[in-house]
Amino acid sequence: MRRGVHRNYAGCLLCNIQHGKCVLQKEWSFCIHSKLKSFEVEAELLSKVNKNIKQNELIIQHYKRLYGEQTDSSSKWKTWCKIERISGCNRFWRIDNFSKQAVKDYLGTSTCKEKFCSNCKKLKQASRMSRFIPYIEECSTNNQMFHLVLTIPSVKGTELLKAINEMFSAFSKLNRYIRGDKKIKGISFENWGYLGGLRSLEVTYKQDNYHPHLHCLLICENNFLSDKTERNVYSLKRGKMVRKFSLEEIIIQKIWLLLITGQTVTLKNIENVELGYSCMIDKFRDEDYGELFKYITKNDNGKMTYAQFNVLRESLHSKRQIQGYGVLHRISDDHCDETEEQVEAIYAEIRRALESVESPLKESVSPKQLLSDSSSLLISKKKIYSYLRQGNCETFNLNMECAKNETNQ
């Protein structure tokens, strides 16, 4: 037998060779890598993780300062626990190393789940998109999807918590009007055919000015939008005309103002509003998912001041960023659907094939170390979600013929 040729015929499980002979190590690894390429953790992601770990140093400093200012022992303990969690967040990744096949399988890492953590925010966004999008698309089959953005004038830090509470309450009422549970004499939303929606909070900021706004998904039976012919101050951006509005958008702008300011929503009051609060409604595009599941706030490239940190920490405490309504009422961070069953099935098949060749070595490795390893293919079960999202539900199959042929000889 030639040197470099393996006696373990099971190594051919992941290749498409139809004979019963084994292959050289390089060919073997090439076949494995080709088959599992769709589940690769890209170097770009590892680089971002490393960058975010550095950015988290600022958040740790803010929490340490907060810890020093606190006098209550219970509060100090909770803050110290957060410091510990953020400090260890994504520092080391647990992997199974299949060295013969040059494959490393990412199993998990310690995460802090802190709203200010750049890594955890991106992880949550990716997790939400992979789990929620299939369910949303199932609910929207044969229906229309719209992207609704609702804003209010920017507020000072001392007013942010009150503003967020008012927006959540106002959207709940707006949802009831659109659904038809609550009526406005002289105005009907029946032609929308509203089935359900999803609202997501985002807060941007600059100095002591905070801009809370809602990105919303509406699922309707009909395309209710009329032609966009109306103009107002929201049509302008830096003095240039950027968009026009439909009559439906103008009506929602006025209703939104009345709801936020606590006024009674009647036809007369709507007509008396000269200019409402900003509202935009457009047909939903795939790229809008990124806005819908965007993180609640961000560190602004490591420039968040301690004052801004405290305002956001207090205002966003215990706030549910995402809330579903109607057919999407089940949407939450605990949501699970049949997609996860498909993911588990594919992942189990991958593991069976890899483990038929060798038992993995369990390791704890930093993202920086993984980034420097160009010889191994780093895969993750989480990447299977995006694989399925691309319509590959029925196409994944690890060819077992090689092993079967060899077993029968």
Side-chain angles (χ1 to χ4, degrees):
M1 186 174 180
R2 292 178 303 167
R3 292 183 62 187
V5 178
H6 294 274
R7 297 179 183 276
N8 189 344
Y9 294 157
C12 296
L13 281 177
L14 292 171
C15 73
N16 291 318
I17 300 171
Q18 298 300 316
H19 53 75
K21 297 180 180 179
C22 211
V23 292
L24 296 173
Q25 171 96 36
K26 289 184 178 179
E27 294 179 67
W28 178 15
S29 295
F30 175 78
C31 292
I32 295 171
H33 289 197
S34 298
K35 199 72 175 177
L36 299 182
K37 190 70 176 176
S38 297
F39 315 123
E40 180 183 15
V41 177
E42 299 86 355
E44 181 183 0
L45 174 62
L46 290 169
S47 296
K48 288 181 179 179
V49 169
N50 279 317
K51 180 182 177 181
N52 291 337
I53 289 174
K54 293 178 181 178
Q55 285 191 2
N56 279 350
E57 293 298 327
L58 176 66
I59 303 302
I60 293 172
Q61 290 176 22
H62 288 335
Y63 270 117
K64 285 183 176 180
R65 179 173 172 180
L66 175 66
Y67 176 84
E69 295 175 353
Q70 292 173 323
T71 57
D72 176 63
S73 59
S74 176
S75 297
K76 289 177 77 72
W77 170 250
K78 291 178 181 177
T79 300
W80 183 254
C81 288
K82 285 192 175 185
I83 293 171
E84 289 291 299
R85 287 198 301 269
I86 300 172
S87 298
C89 183
N90 270 277
R91 292 284 180 176
F92 294 96
W93 286 17
R94 297 185 300 278
I95 65 168
D96 272 355
N97 186 0
F98 296 89
S99 57
K100 290 181 182 179
Q101 300 162 90
V103 174
K104 293 182 177 180
D105 182 17
Y106 166 77
L107 301 179
T109 184
S110 296
T111 57
C112 61
K113 298 179 176 61
E114 170 62 36
K115 65 174 65 68
F116 296 114
C117 173
S118 300
N119 278 320
C120 286
K121 287 187 293 188
K122 295 294 289 185
L123 180 65
K124 178 169 280 191
Q125 181 189 35
S127 175
R128 284 170 171 170
M129 291 180 70
S130 63
R131 290 185 294 129
F132 296 164
I133 291 177
Y135 179 70
I136 290 172
E137 291 184 339
E138 178 185 343
C139 292
S140 62
T141 303
N142 300 322
N143 295 308
Q144 305 286 326
M145 294 172 61
F146 299 90
H147 185 196
L148 164 66
V149 183
L150 296 166
T151 68
I152 62 172
S154 296
V155 298
K156 296 298 181 182
T158 54
E159 304 167 331
L160 180 59
L161 176 58
K162 179 174 178 287
I164 292 173
N165 288 336
E166 289 174 346
M167 291 180 75
F168 282 3
S169 175
F171 184 81
S172 181
K173 293 174 183 176
L174 177 63
N175 183 74
R176 293 181 64 194
Y177 283 124
I178 297 174
R179 193 170 57 194
D181 294 344
K182 201 169 184 179
K183 306 292 184 181
I184 305 173
K185 190 174 181 179
I187 296 179
S188 174
F189 296 99
E190 188 176 346
N191 67 314
W192 289 30
Y194 177 68
L195 299 174
L198 193 70
R199 69 114 179 101
S200 176
L201 171 67
E202 181 184 6
V203 180
T204 56
Y205 57 91
K206 186 175 183 180
Q207 298 176 344
D208 192 37
N209 294 308
Y210 297 83
H211 184 56
H213 50 284
L214 301 178
H215 288 279
C216 311
L217 165 67
L218 305 180
I219 298 181
C220 302
E221 292 178 330
N222 307 314
N223 183 3
F224 59 84
L225 283 178
S226 57
D227 293 339
K228 295 178 181 283
T229 58
E230 305 296 315
R231 303 181 184 184
N232 57 29
V233 295
Y234 304 125
S235 300
L236 304 175
K237 186 175 183 179
R238 299 186 181 91
K240 293 184 178 181
M241 177 71 64
V242 293
R243 70 173 290 137
K244 296 178 182 179
F245 297 99
S246 64
L247 289 174
E248 291 79 12
E249 289 171 287
I250 297 297
I251 291 173
I252 296 297
Q253 287 177 4
K254 295 181 178 183
I255 293 176
W256 184 238
L257 179 143
L258 294 174
L259 290 171
I260 291 292
T261 56
Q263 300 180 59
T264 305
V265 180
T266 63
L267 179 58
K268 182 179 180 181
N269 284 348
I270 292 173
E271 291 174 340
N272 287 338
V273 174
E274 184 175 346
L275 179 68
Y277 285 163
S278 178
C279 154
M280 297 182 292
I281 307 176
D282 296 294
K283 291 297 291 291
F284 198 88
R285 305 166 301 171
D286 282 346
E287 50 264 40
D288 292 331
Y289 281 120
E291 295 294 331
L292 190 66
F293 296 118
K294 204 171 186 178
Y295 22 89
I296 197 167
T297 190
K298 60 181 180 180
N299 191 359
D300 196 21
N301 295 320
K303 298 178 181 178
M304 181 189 291
T305 67
Y306 183 63
Q308 292 168 337
F309 164 79
N310 270 328
V311 168
L312 293 166
R313 178 180 61 83
E314 294 172 0
S315 301
L316 299 177
H317 178 67
S318 298
K319 287 291 179 286
R320 177 178 289 184
Q321 182 187 3
I322 290 180
Q323 176 67 55
Y325 299 85
V327 294
L328 298 181
H329 77 281
R330 290 172 50 204
I331 289 285
S332 71
D333 285 330
D334 298 322
H335 177 76
C336 172
D337 63 15
E338 61 182 18
T339 302
E340 296 199 22
E341 296 179 6
Q342 293 177 287
V343 169
E344 291 297 337
I346 291 176
Y347 183 64
E349 187 175 355
I350 292 171
R351 290 291 304 204
R352 279 196 300 271
L354 291 171
E355 290 174 12
S356 68
V357 179
E358 60 180 314
S359 296
L361 177 65
K362 295 191 176 298
E363 298 178 344
S364 181
V365 187
S366 71
K368 188 175 182 179
Q369 290 173 300
L370 290 170
L371 186 60
S372 64
D373 180 6
S374 58
S375 61
S376 297
L377 179 71
L378 178 63
I379 64 171
S380 170
K381 181 172 74 171
K382 296 181 184 297
K383 300 292 289 186
I384 302 177
Y385 285 99
S386 56
Y387 175 82
L388 293 174
R389 170 93 174 110
Q390 294 166 6
N392 297 307
C393 305
E394 305 298 333
T395 60
F396 184 80
N397 180 38
L398 296 180
N399 196 320
M400 309 294 280
E401 288 301 314
C402 182
K404 290 178 182 177
N405 290 344
E406 199 54 51
T407 301
N408 294 331
Q409 286 186 6

